[in-house]
């Protein structure tokens, strides 16, 4: 059963933190096994993606485990005869619903802070990738008290739905599509419980004429997550390149993507594995067709694996679209596949406008050697995570989350733990 301790029964905050750090150690010991499980069930290449994910997962537990003693309140100068203070209390049972693209890391970003804050958690894993998440929960049963970290495997509406509706669940944290995010937000609204939502994106990357071309090309390689088949909510899938660099940028980028090796996800030589499911495969292929129908030029990169054993694999050759209309479906909608759109621009003001002309607002990058442009762009780009001359992924201690339809709330920091996994209470002692 799910543990539901009263606030005076939960362990002291630092003890909880130590247990969560202990979780980090246990997961480090199992990192290779977990990386292999992720590769097996998601098709993400072991060397470039799945092993990396397993290591980042344990790092999240280690980071949040160190924050137990930061669950502080305030004293308020309300009245000299009174002692007025605030405390941060656990919310109770947290429902955490996770997707399949980075299942362990995204689960850790919810479970670790929720536990340190004194809550218990019920995770609902994604139907496409339940195994590694289950294994993490199993490993951590040896570290955590019974009923503290629980997991359900099942489909969205039948399993995630009832979790959100359950009267004991007092908080929901969700990562996934905008469509499902809205359903969850509506249910949470009906129950009047808070919901943290990390949703999709269509993140812009702006390469100014004075940018370091090679660095920008490398930034697009990482930002598009080609090695993850583009299955990333913060993928830099709208790339705006100044006309003076456009053709050279396209050439260098497609050369680099061409050099990536598609193959067996378990093979150490492989850079790019397979798409998660037949449904996603068809969705991605559909967008590639729509781009071609809209008259865009498709630069189809990398060779399909030749090994006949891999003939049934859901391999999609990465596509870089150029000369694509801004209102074509692949240029506007989240594809969640290895498809990037490159747009040519000449004028700074209009590129900022184009970058912001999106329902999404998760991440953005700007590439320039001019400080004034960098400063101006970082202030004006409508996104929760904005970088200059680099394209790093989310990591502990860097606040992460979306503006506009990309989400509500932030993850990955001390503040996110306090704001999203605790309830603030004001306590006043009258000693007059
Ligand atoms: P989804 O949003 O439907 O699934 C994410 C999680 O929500 C899964 O655990 C799923 O079982 C659960 N879920 C689905 N319907 C639910 C409901 N009614 N109540 C409660 N839980 C529910 O995403 P899906 O269908 O896997 O992918 C569709 C698209 O969503 C992708 O093509 C991509 O564009 C986007 N996506 C975005 C992600 C992100 O990291 N922001 C992750 C996965 C998908
Ligand atoms: Mg769905």
């Amino acid at each position: 059963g799910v543990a539901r301790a009263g606030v005076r029964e939960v362990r002291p905050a630092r003890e909880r933190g130590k247990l969560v750090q202990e979780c980090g150690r246990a997961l480090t010991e199992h990192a290779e096994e977990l990386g292999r499980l992720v590769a097996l069930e998601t098709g993400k290449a072991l060397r470039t993606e799945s092993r990396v994910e397993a290591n980042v997962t344990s790092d999240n537990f280690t980071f949040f485990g160190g924050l137990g003693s930061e669950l502080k309140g305030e004293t308020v100068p309300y009245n000299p005869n009174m002692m007025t203070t605030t405390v941060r209390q656990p919310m109770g049972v947290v429902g955490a619903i996770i997707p399949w693209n980075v299942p362990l890391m995204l689960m850790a970003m919810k479970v670790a802070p929720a536990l340190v804050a004194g809550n218990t958690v019920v995770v609902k894993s994604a139907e496409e990738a339940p195994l590694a998440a289950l294994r993490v929960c199993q490993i951590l049963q040896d570290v955590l008290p019974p009923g503290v970290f629980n997991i359900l495997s099942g489909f969205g509406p039948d399993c995630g739905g009832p979790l959100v509706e359950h009267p004991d669940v007092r908080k929901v944290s969700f990562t996934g599509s905008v469509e499902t995010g809205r359903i969850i937000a509506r249910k949470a609204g009906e129950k009047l419980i808070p919901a943290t939502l990390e949703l999709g994106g269509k993140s812009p990357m702006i390469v100014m004429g004075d940018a370091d071309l090679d660095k920008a090309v490398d930034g697009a390689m990482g930002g598009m997550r080609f090695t993850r088949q583009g299955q990333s909510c913060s993928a830099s899938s709208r790339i705006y390149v100044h006309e003076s660099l456009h053709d050279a940028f396209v050439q260098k980028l497609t050369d680099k993507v061409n050099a990536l090796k598609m193959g067996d996800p378990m093979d150490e030589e492989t850079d790019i594995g397979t798409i998660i499911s037949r449904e996603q495969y068809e969705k991605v292929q559909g967008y590639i067709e729509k781009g071609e129908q809209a008259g865009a030029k498709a630069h189809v990169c990398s060779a399909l694996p030749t090994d006949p054993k891999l003939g049934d694999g859901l391999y999609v050759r990465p596509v870089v679209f150029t000369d694509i209309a801004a209102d074509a479906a692949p240029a506007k909608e989240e594809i969640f596949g290895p498809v990037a759109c490159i747009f040519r621009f000449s004028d700074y003001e209009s590129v900022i406008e184009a970058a912001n002309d999106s329902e999404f607002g998760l991440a953005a990058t700007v590439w320039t050697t001019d400080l004034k442009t960098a400063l101006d762009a970082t202030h004006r780009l409508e996104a929760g995570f904005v970088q200059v001359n680099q394209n790093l992924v989310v990591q502990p201690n860097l606040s992460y989350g979306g503006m506009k339809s990309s989400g509500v709330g932030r993850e990955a920091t001390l503040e996110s733990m306090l704001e999203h996994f605790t309830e603030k209470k004001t306590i006043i002692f009258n000693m007059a």
Side-chain angles (χ1 to χ4, degrees), residues 133-171:
L134 262 179
R135 180 67 181 128
V136 165
C137 186
Q138 187 183 44
I139 291 165
L140 298 186
Q141 295 310 305
D142 291 340
V143 179
L144 297 167
V148 164
F149 177 10
N150 313 275
I151 192 162
L152 298 167
S153 313
F155 291 98
D158 327 336
C159 182
L163 176 64
V164 177
E165 285 159 18
H166 196 287
D168 285 350
V169 170
R170 303 311 306 160
K171 156 85 198 182

Side-chain angles (χ1 to χ4, degrees), residues 410-428:
R410 296 291 179 267
E411 291 195 285
T413 65
L414 169 63
E415 287 71 25
S416 72
M417 175 175 83
L418 299 176
E419 294 302 320
H420 295 280
F421 292 113
T422 73
E423 196 93 78
K424 193 181 212 178
K425 180 186 277 180
T426 297
I427 300 176
I428 311 172

Side-chain angles (χ1 to χ4, degrees), residues 98-100 124 127 156 174 176-177 180 199 233 280 283 334 336:
I98 57 168
W100 44 262
K124 206 297 275 175
E127 45 272 50
F174 169 77
S177 65
T180 303
L199 310 176
C233 48
Q280 283 293 125
K283 181 180 166 192
E334 180 173 54
F336 231 68

Side-chain angles (χ1 to χ4, degrees), residues 190-260:
E190 194 56 47
K191 266 175 79 178
L192 297 174
I193 62 165
T196 307
L197 307 169
E198 296 285 352
L199 310 176
K202 192 77 187 173
S203 296
M205 162 169 181
I206 300 175
V207 183
M208 298 300 294
D210 61 6
D212 179 321
L213 178 61
D214 290 312
K215 272 196 194 157
V217 169
D218 285 341
M221 288 297 289
M224 246 318 290
R225 315 278 192 274
F226 282 112
T227 55
R228 199 192 289 162
Q229 297 78 260
Q231 298 170 144
S232 165
C233 48
S234 57
S236 305
S237 49
R238 292 186 293 141
I239 307 176
Y240 299 87
V241 185
H242 189 263
E243 57 188 0
S244 62
L245 295 181
H246 179 275
D247 294 353
F249 184 95
V250 172
Q251 187 63 52
K252 283 186 184 242
L253 182 67
T254 49
D255 284 350
K256 287 217 163 187
V257 184
N258 269 323
L260 295 176

